[in-house]
Amino acid sequence: MSTMIMMLLTGCEQDSTLEVPHTFVTESPSVSPEPTATASPVPSQSVQPSSTPAASPMKEPAGFETGLPKEEAVVAESKKQTKKSELKPIYSVGKGKVAITIDDGPTKYTAELLKVLREQNTHVTFFFLGQNAAAFPQSVTEAVYDGHEIGYHSDTHPQMTQMTYDAQNLEFNSGLSKLVKLDKQPVTLFRPPYGAYNNDTKLVTEEHHMQMVLWNEDPQDWATNDPSQVVKSVLAQVESGSIIVMHDHPSTIAALPGIIKGIRSKGYTLVTVTH
């Protein structure tokens, strides 16, 4: 896993507060292994980028979300935060509904991903990285225009539980300032990289008037270049209320039509996290 350079920019807090629908389930799953970083697979060439960006984001994500997330201990520091966060992370959507979420974009593949979603008449929730949003701004604005829900996934994809409160806040601000320039609607959802969070992460999220969104289904779509395996994994796990964590990755894009058809055939309604 490559080391990312944190950009020392300061972003602005947002003014709106998210009203959390009553259908959200916020209790943590009963089994919650430690999130771990995993080496990035070699991307398939089955999906070709439609354009070349003017700027270059990170070549590969620092790692992928895996397993089920859980809260971790706070990093020791001289000026320790004593406030206890009351934030309740979101792990699922309402009964009979399923939300597909896409992390780590935008990338050179996002234009094709958006094309597939239009063809399938489906909306998803994107969790964009700040540095990638700055590198592929057109993909962000296109996703907004198409009616997808836009969430935030940090600036450079660090493991925030290994950072102090101040460092987490700096990371949060630096990427959010890039993303909000491209979306006229308030960005109200945050997903911490790797699902790794602690009390400081929750405090920073609250202070930005945002909700933390995790997941209860992880098909590990990044681990294979075979779209059929991605479809099989998703449909084997999906159930009422699932929030599925997926990634802006060629095999995932190729698998989406089969995933969407399979979820609907089970009688579930595909939704974004807050709708």
Side-chain angles (χ1 to χ4, degrees):
M1 180 175 67
S2 59
T3 303
M4 292 298 154
I5 300 176
M6 184 177 303
M7 300 187 68
L8 302 178
L9 301 177
T10 301
C12 56
E13 292 190 1
Q14 300 176 74
D15 294 328
S16 64
T17 301
L18 177 64
E19 180 180 348
V20 184
H22 70 277
T23 53
F24 287 155
V25 176
T26 58
E27 291 78 8
S28 176
S30 57
V31 179
S32 300
E34 295 284 340
T36 57
T38 306
S40 303
V42 178
S44 165
Q45 298 302 313
S46 60
V47 179
Q48 297 297 326
S50 59
S51 61
T52 302
S56 297
M58 60 183 183
K59 294 181 179 180
E60 291 293 338
F64 293 101
E65 286 63 44
T66 181
L68 294 176
K70 80 170 204 176
E71 187 166 354
E72 299 179 17
V74 173
V75 172
E77 57 179 313
S78 57
K79 186 179 178 181
K80 192 170 183 178
Q81 298 296 314
T82 57
K83 181 180 177 182
K84 180 68 175 177
S85 172
E86 299 297 326
L87 185 71
K88 302 294 185 184
I90 296 166
Y91 283 91
S92 73
V93 290
K95 184 177 181 180
K97 299 176 181 178
V98 171
I100 295 174
T101 64
I102 309 289
D103 289 5
D104 294 351
T107 72
K108 61 185 179 180
Y109 305 113
T110 306
E112 181 65 24
L113 192 160
L114 291 168
K115 178 182 176 183
V116 170
L117 293 171
R118 282 193 294 271
E119 291 171 349
Q120 298 299 316
N121 192 28
T122 300
H123 291 98
V124 302
T125 301
F126 286 99
F127 287 96
F128 285 144
L129 293 166
Q131 63 178 12
N132 282 13
F136 296 95
Q138 184 174 347
S139 290
V140 178
T141 55
E142 188 176 348
V144 172
Y145 179 82
D146 285 355
H148 298 288
E149 187 166 50
I150 307 302
Y152 178 49
H153 195 40
S154 82
D155 190 13
T156 63
H157 209 282
Q159 186 150 334
M160 298 182 76
T161 52
Q162 297 178 0
M163 303 162 68
T164 66
Y165 169 87
D166 288 339
Q168 290 195 47
N169 194 45
L170 184 61
E171 169 74 17
F172 206 106
N173 283 328
S174 65
L176 188 59
S177 66
K178 301 165 190 173
L179 183 57
V180 297
K181 293 176 182 178
L182 303 170
D183 187 358
K184 293 181 180 179
Q185 299 298 318
V187 179
T188 58
L189 303 178
F190 173 63
R191 172 172 285 164
Y194 312 105
Y197 69 98
N198 57 23
N199 187 64
D200 286 348
T201 318
K202 294 196 294 182
L203 286 174
V204 171
T205 304
E206 283 182 306
E207 288 160 7
H208 287 80
H209 309 293
M210 299 171 76
Q211 283 291 316
M212 183 181 292
V213 180
L214 299 173
W215 62 86
N216 58 8
E217 179 179 342
D218 177 15
Q220 298 192 11
D221 55 314
W222 47 265
T224 178
N225 288 324
D226 182 354
S228 67
Q229 289 299 315
V230 180
V231 175
K232 182 178 179 181
S233 181
V234 170
L235 298 183
Q237 298 178 57
V238 72
E239 59 185 14
S240 176
S242 287
I243 294 179
I244 308 170
V245 58
M246 303 186 78
H247 299 82
D248 197 327
H249 184 260
S251 59
T252 300
I253 297 170
L256 277 172
I259 290 169
I260 292 166
K261 180 179 179 181
I263 290 173
R264 287 173 171 162
S265 71
K266 290 175 178 288
Y268 300 133
T269 301
L270 283 162
V271 297
T272 58
V273 169
T274 62
H275 297 90

